[in-house]
Amino acid sequence: MFCPTFQLLRQRPSMGDASETSGNRNEDIINTTDSLSKDIDYKIDDIPPWYVSLILSFQHYLMMLGGTVSYPYLISPHLCIPNDDPTRGYLISTTLFVSGIGTLLQTTLGTRLPIVQGSSMAFLVPLLTILQLPEWKCPERNSNISLTLDETAEIWMPRMREVQGAIIGASVFEMLIGMTGLIGFLLNWITPLAIVPTISLVTLPLFAEAAHSASRHWGIAALTIAFMILFSQCLRDVTIPYFKYSSRKGWTAGRFPLFKLFPILLTLILSWSLCGILTATNVFQEGSPARTDTLLSVLDNSPWFRVPYPGQFGLPTFTIAAVLGAIAGSFASVVESVGDYYACARLSGADSPPKHAINRGIFVEGFCCMIAGFFGTACGLTSFSENIGAIGITKVASRRVIQYGGLIMVLFGMLGKFGGVFVTIPQPILGGIFCIMFSMVTAIGLSTLHFIDLNSSRNLFVLGFSLFMGLCIPSWIQSNPGAIQTGSKIMDQTITILLRTNMLVGGFIGFFLDNIIPGTDEERGLLKWRKQTRSSSTSSKKSSYELPHIKKFLERHSFFRCLPISPSYEEGSIQTKFLPIKCLKRNKSTNSTEMC
């Protein structure tokens, strides 16, 4: 069997005596995830009762609903879809439907982490750039002439097909990154000082979005934040007594951690109900963002039942410029997702994801983007940081809960009226919740700093500069959209998109500086980092990332040891830990292991 091999590219420094002399000092952080896992009520592989899972998954549905609904409203005007066109409702239900499929695929066959897949804002900038080209600008509409739905469709459908082709082309690039193990190979150089800005800048720049939503009515937003703090922090250890009956024991008393498991749902119910009462009594004036009736038109225009299907808006069209532009967004999405994987694993109290899980996660994400392209969502899919933050609030990291959430998304993607009800949640409520959850993800990124020596001026420089420039450069690019002038529109567009991605800029600067500025392994945190990742690779919790039901089949066939997305690929890394691509076979005659 032919199997590709690679030359030794980098010899990692031997830990040797250094790890032995520092062993005693590092014993207290051999596995930092243990302390996090003690605080988790339902771990990744735990299966809560179905009714608990259903309610918990409903919380995740509500958290991803805001981002999912906002994306079609952002891109629809650029697709030339009128405000009163029912196509906007179709885009929302299609996005929910595809997001549910993507969530099920990611949690079952991808990383298997409890991650929700949803519309990626990383694709928004390149797609808007494409739609702003002269040939795709919306024609001037005469207010005195009303167009039929068919006539309107002739305007926006060609634009939708162009967007679909760009997303599908970019998804092939993302699938190749995962399938070839390129993203896993780059992890050989990823250090804590590269991970901290990458994860932190996933949500840190979103303060503007959270503040914008909350500022629509600071009173309601502040009350929502107060409810979240009360339920998730102050009352987290308060349990509610209840009685249950069984034929063997009869009636017995139990205690249920209501506030700890459902802080988001309780907050939404109370804040939303209050807004509803103040709307009915006209305390909130007409046009107030805190009113619950401002988006009732979405509910009216949503169909009762509609099943999305591939090609519902026609066959996609492909152009090189559009695909290259979307690839830049896809690359930014990959960087964001890798940061989300680490953040989700740490919040879940799980081991750091192995390379095969990260490779497979990116591959599945690319496949989900391809599905989204064929269905016509006008967006790609990526990991939702909002839902990762929800894990930190609820302390529920069960994979089964997220899979239930995926089923709810698929169902509500077909029941437009039911999903449309939750679109009426006032923006200030979502803004208050986002303030809490985004801060949780940012804090998780910063928590990786415990690996490094914070008394080192070298480390402080790398950390501060990468975080600052990760905010500074994208902000400057956004304020000066025509600043990049290379003579090639495609190159200008690609560079602009990359430099506008905060986590990409900050993560790359941290990665580059930490690898070129001299520093000891102990100073850089590599001794502690490797000790954790090595313990992770031999931990029993590694099974959380294994593919179900086919583990023995994969181990039985040596071909799968060559696939970077296969769990057996990682098992051969002990003998070839210095090679980026691992592929081994057993020589029975000499009882030795050699490269394929």
Side-chain angles (χ1 to χ4, degrees):
M1 177 195 310
F2 171 76
C3 177
T5 59
F6 291 80
Q7 297 296 325
L8 177 61
L9 295 180
R10 180 180 180 185
Q11 179 82 17
R12 291 185 180 178
S14 173
M15 293 167 58
D17 297 334
S19 68
E20 294 177 3
T21 57
S22 61
N24 293 333
R25 285 174 292 173
N26 297 334
E27 283 299 320
D28 58 331
I29 54 95
I30 287 179
N31 193 350
T32 57
T33 58
D34 287 344
S35 59
L36 281 174
S37 61
K38 292 178 182 178
D39 199 32
I40 299 295
D41 291 310
Y42 292 105
K43 299 180 177 63
I44 288 183
D45 297 312
D46 292 344
I47 302 178
W50 69 268
Y51 47 89
V52 176
S53 295
L54 197 61
I55 302 176
L56 289 170
S57 64
F58 191 65
Q59 285 188 135
H60 281 280
Y61 167 76
L62 293 177
M63 287 305 95
M64 64 87 62
L65 190 63
T68 302
V69 170
S70 63
Y71 188 96
Y73 274 88
L74 289 172
I75 201 170
S76 289
H78 299 275
L79 288 169
C80 312
I81 300 177
N83 293 333
D84 56 351
D85 196 310
T87 303
R88 294 199 176 197
Y90 300 161
L91 285 179
I92 294 174
S93 33
T94 300
T95 304
L96 282 173
F97 185 83
V98 173
S99 296
I101 295 175
T103 300
L104 291 173
L105 289 175
Q106 187 66 265
T107 54
T108 306
L109 301 175
T111 60
R112 291 180 56 76
L113 285 166
I115 290 181
V116 170
Q117 301 291 295
S119 52
S120 174
M121 290 294 177
F123 284 90
L124 183 61
V125 175
L127 294 181
L128 291 184
T129 304
I130 294 168
L131 294 173
Q132 288 168 1
L133 295 175
E135 62 268 27
W136 295 123
K137 283 188 176 181
C138 297
E140 294 289 337
R141 293 193 62 182
N142 190 335
S143 57
N144 297 323
I145 301 176
S146 59
L147 300 177
T148 64
L149 291 179
D150 290 338
E151 291 172 334
T152 304
E154 291 179 2
I155 298 175
W156 64 260
M157 274 194 176
R159 292 163 174 78
M160 172 63 79
R161 294 165 190 161
E162 182 78 1
V163 168
Q164 288 182 255
I167 293 172
I168 294 171
S171 67
V172 175
F173 168 78
E174 190 169 353
M175 291 171 66
L176 286 175
I177 288 180
M179 175 64 78
T180 59
L182 178 59
I183 189 66
F185 165 67
L186 292 177
L187 293 178
N188 289 327
W189 285 271
I190 300 292
T191 63
L193 278 172
I195 290 174
V196 170
T198 301
I199 298 179
S200 299
L201 290 172
V202 168
T203 51
L204 195 58
L206 295 178
F207 78 91
E209 180 181 339
H212 174 73
S213 298
S215 65
R216 306 300 296 275
H217 195 293
W218 276 112
I220 294 298
L223 182 65
T224 302
I225 292 173
F227 281 145
M228 284 283 287
I229 295 174
L230 176 66
F231 296 142
S232 66
Q233 304 300 323
C234 301
L235 300 179
R236 58 180 299 178
D237 296 323
V238 176
T239 55
I240 304 299
Y242 70 98
F243 295 95
K244 58 182 179 180
Y245 178 81
S246 66
S247 57
R248 188 176 63 175
K249 295 183 179 180
W251 288 99
T252 56
R255 304 192 70 87
F256 186 73
L258 176 68
F259 302 109
K260 189 175 184 179
L261 293 180
F262 305 111
I264 300 172
L265 189 59
L266 291 173
T267 299
L268 273 174
I269 291 174
L270 289 178
S271 298
W272 199 4
S273 299
L274 177 62
C275 287
I277 294 172
L278 296 178
T279 299
T281 56
N282 287 322
V283 174
F284 292 147
Q285 299 298 319
E286 280 294 331
S288 171
R291 289 182 66 94
T292 57
D293 58 358
T294 56
L295 293 176
L296 288 179
S297 60
V298 178
L299 180 61
D300 294 337
N301 294 331
S302 299
W304 282 104
F305 185 80
R306 181 179 182 274
V307 180
Y309 58 91
Q312 58 185 334
F313 303 131
L315 295 178
T317 57
F318 299 90
T319 58
I320 295 178
V323 171
L324 288 178
I327 282 178
S330 178
F331 186 76
S333 176
V334 168
V335 174
E336 180 181 357
S337 292
V338 172
D340 283 338
Y341 297 161
Y342 279 101
C344 184
R346 282 189 56 74
L347 269 175
S348 304
D351 291 326
S352 298
K355 292 180 183 178
H356 71 80
I358 293 177
N359 292 333
R360 195 167 58 249
I362 297 301
F363 172 78
V364 170
E365 200 167 289
F367 181 73
C368 294
C369 286
M370 181 176 289
I371 294 176
F374 278 110
F375 271 80
T377 59
C379 67
L381 298 187
T382 192
S383 304
F384 252 35
S385 303
E386 294 94 326
N387 294 84
I388 296 175
I391 293 175
I393 297 296
T394 63
K395 308 302 178 187
V396 175
S398 170
R399 182 188 301 115
R400 183 60 57 85
V401 168
I402 303 300
Q403 290 172 336
Y404 270 61
L407 292 175
I408 289 177
M409 293 175 216
V410 172
L411 177 62
F412 290 170
M414 296 185 292
L415 302 176
K417 290 291 185 185
F418 192 84
V421 171
F422 299 98
V423 179
T424 63
I425 298 175
Q427 266 193 306
I429 296 179
L430 295 177
I433 293 176
F434 287 161
C435 288
I436 296 290
M437 293 193 302
F438 289 167
S439 63
M440 281 294 299
V441 178
T442 301
I444 285 298
L446 296 174
S447 69
T448 309
L449 291 174
H450 79 277
F451 287 104
I452 70 171
D453 181 8
L454 288 176
N455 292 318
S456 166
S457 60
R458 170 202 181 274
N459 290 345
L460 293 178
F461 168 74
V462 174
L463 173 65
F465 188 72
S466 60
L467 284 174
F468 184 80
M469 297 307 291
L471 293 171
C472 183
I473 293 177
S475 177
W476 178 77
I477 291 293
Q478 186 171 2
S479 302
N480 301 273
I484 306 298
Q485 298 289 340
T486 63
S488 170
K489 289 185 178 181
I490 296 176
M491 185 62 67
D492 293 346
Q493 176 182 320
T494 303
I495 295 176
T496 299
I497 292 167
L498 293 178
L499 292 182
R500 283 188 62 176
T501 307
N502 301 82
M503 73 286 298
L504 176 61
V505 174
F508 176 77
I509 291 175
F511 161 83
F512 180 73
L513 294 179
D514 193 38
N515 280 281
I516 66 167
I517 298 178
T520 65
D521 284 358
E522 184 176 4
E523 181 184 17
R524 299 169 62 194
L526 295 182
L527 298 183
K528 300 176 182 180
W529 177 255
R530 290 171 186 162
K531 183 170 290 188
Q532 174 177 308
T533 53
R534 284 186 177 185
S535 65
S536 296
S537 64
T538 58
S539 170
S540 60
K541 288 186 286 184
K542 180 187 175 185
S543 60
S544 298
Y545 298 100
E546 301 286 352
L547 291 176
H549 310 305
I550 60 173
K551 179 180 179 181
K552 292 183 179 179
F553 173 80
L554 296 176
E555 293 176 347
R556 202 163 47 236
H557 296 80
S558 59
F559 165 76
F560 293 105
R561 300 175 196 166
C562 307
L563 282 181
I565 62 174
S566 171
S568 58
Y569 164 82
E570 191 70 10
E571 293 175 3
S573 64
I574 297 177
Q575 291 88 344
T576 58
K577 59 186 177 183
F578 301 126
L579 291 177
I581 301 296
K582 295 95 179 174
C583 180
L584 298 174
K585 66 179 181 180
R586 197 76 177 172
N587 190 327
K588 296 182 180 179
S589 61
T590 61
N591 194 28
S592 62
T593 302
E594 58 188 31
M595 295 299 296
C596 297

